[in-house]
């Protein structure tokens, strides 16, 4: 909901807390419809770690809606086959071939891309001035009488404040923003599942599906890389983050 001040002068401002893939996507979308956006990132610089990410119909349609669908597809590789295995490796469901069956099912070509590449595409769609790294967010205060909220933070050893009609908490499953606004909401509960992902050079000794201990998929990435992913049940004592 817009504050009184934004309704009067026609401008709208937003602060996005954290600059991962979700936060940057929200920032690009808001700027596309006329909002002034500032992204606050805790790390010393904007960047993405991790392996690959598979983008299916919902994600690709969202990226197309904010004008980035073509560049993301051009930076990734189409997924030609997809499936789910049991822990013993038996297929539960599987789509093979040239990708036509998968495209017919999803309604759009499924694409795999390196997370760092997707993050860079989103980052480059935003002006440098909208991206603040090395930020420690300290408080969010509701605006008086329907006015803008106040987001207080430290940046370059100085205290600062931004006023915003909208604050987006894109700071992950253990969200600081959520804890500030809704402190009584229970914390997330570990589900008992874990995922493993890795990227290797295409020329390296790759694990084949028949050699895998866990059910997994292998995707080719641009730049002569391969992306591996696997998932399995995992006890709380073996929890990975």
């Amino acid at each position: 909901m817009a504050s009184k001040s934004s309704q009067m002068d026609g401008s709208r401002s937003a602060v996005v807390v954290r600059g991962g893939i979700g936060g940057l996507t929200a920032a690009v979308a808001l700027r596309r419809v006329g909002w002034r956006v500032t992204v606050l990132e805790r790390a010393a610089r904007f960047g993405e770690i991790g392996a690959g990410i598979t983008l299916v119909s919902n994600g690709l349609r969202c990226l197309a809606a904010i004008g980035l669908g073509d560049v993301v597809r051009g930076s990734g590789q189409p997924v030609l086959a997809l499936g789910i295995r049991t822990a013993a490796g038996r297929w539960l469901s599987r789509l093979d071939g040239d990708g036509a069956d998968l495209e017919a099912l999803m309604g759009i070509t499924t694409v795999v891309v390196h997370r760092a590449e997707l993050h860079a595409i989103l980052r480059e769609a935003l002006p440098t001035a909208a991206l603040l790294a090395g930020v420690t967010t300290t408080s969010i205060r509701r605006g008086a009488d329907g006015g803008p909220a106040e987001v207080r933070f430290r940046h370059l050893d100085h205290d600062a404040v931004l006023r915003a009609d909208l604050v987006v908490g894109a700071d992950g499953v253990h969200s600081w923003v959520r804890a500030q606004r809704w402190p009584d909401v229970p914390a997330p509960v570990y589900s008992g599942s874990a995922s493993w992902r890795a990227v290797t050079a295409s020329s390296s000794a790759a694990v084949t599906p028949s050699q895998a201990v866990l059910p997994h998929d292998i995707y080719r990435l641009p730049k002569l890389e391969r992306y591996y992913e696997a998932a399995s049940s995992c006890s709380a004592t073996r929890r990975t983050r």
Side-chain angles (χ1 to χ4, degrees):
M1 180 175 180
S3 69
K4 291 181 179 178
S5 61
S6 66
Q7 291 171 350
M8 292 175 62
D9 62 20
S11 64
R12 294 177 294 180
S13 63
V15 169
V16 179
V17 180
R18 302 294 178 263
I21 288 173
L24 293 184
T25 302
V28 174
L30 287 165
R31 278 186 54 83
R32 190 172 175 86
V33 293
W35 286 65
R36 292 179 290 109
V37 183
T38 302
V39 182
L40 305 180
E41 170 55 42
R42 180 172 55 187
R45 64 181 182 86
F46 279 83
E48 179 61 52
I49 60 175
I53 183 170
T54 304
L55 299 169
V56 294
S57 55
N58 54 350
L60 287 171
R61 287 194 176 100
C62 289
L63 290 165
I66 60 175
L68 298 178
D70 289 342
V71 66
V72 170
R73 281 192 291 270
S75 299
Q77 292 280 12
V79 176
L80 304 181
L82 197 66
I84 300 175
R85 298 171 182 258
T86 67
R90 181 175 63 85
W91 287 104
L92 293 175
S93 64
R94 186 176 184 180
L95 287 172
D96 285 326
D98 59 1
D101 291 343
L102 184 58
E103 184 172 353
L105 178 65
M106 298 293 186
I108 193 171
T109 301
T110 300
V111 172
V112 62
V113 63
H114 199 291
R115 294 181 67 91
E117 186 73 21
L118 177 57
H119 191 272
I121 290 169
L122 293 163
R123 191 170 66 246
E124 291 166 5
L126 294 165
T128 302
L131 304 173
L132 291 183
V135 170
T136 301
T137 316
T138 56
S139 71
I140 300 173
R141 298 180 182 177
R142 183 187 296 273
D145 299 324
E150 291 186 349
V151 180
R152 297 184 179 272
F153 59 95
R154 285 189 63 80
H155 182 236
L156 301 177
D157 295 325
H158 296 288
D159 292 323
V161 60
L162 285 172
R163 292 174 175 81
D165 301 298
L166 173 69
V167 179
V168 178
D171 51 341
V173 65
H174 301 290
S175 171
W176 174 86
V177 173
R178 181 179 61 234
Q180 293 295 303
R181 295 298 301 125
W182 300 279
D184 297 329
V185 172
V189 177
Y190 179 53
S191 67
S193 297
S195 296
W196 290 262
R197 297 179 176 88
V199 172
T200 69
S202 185
S203 59
S204 66
V207 177
T208 66
S210 61
Q211 296 170 326
V213 176
L214 293 169
H216 79 298
D217 290 295
I218 302 174
Y219 304 106
R220 288 189 178 274
L221 290 172
K223 303 179 183 178
L224 299 178
E225 294 175 321
R226 288 186 180 181
Y227 162 46
Y228 300 79
E229 66 175 352
S232 181
S233 297
C234 182
S235 68
T237 57
R238 295 173 57 199
R239 177 177 177 178
T240 58
R241 298 180 66 180

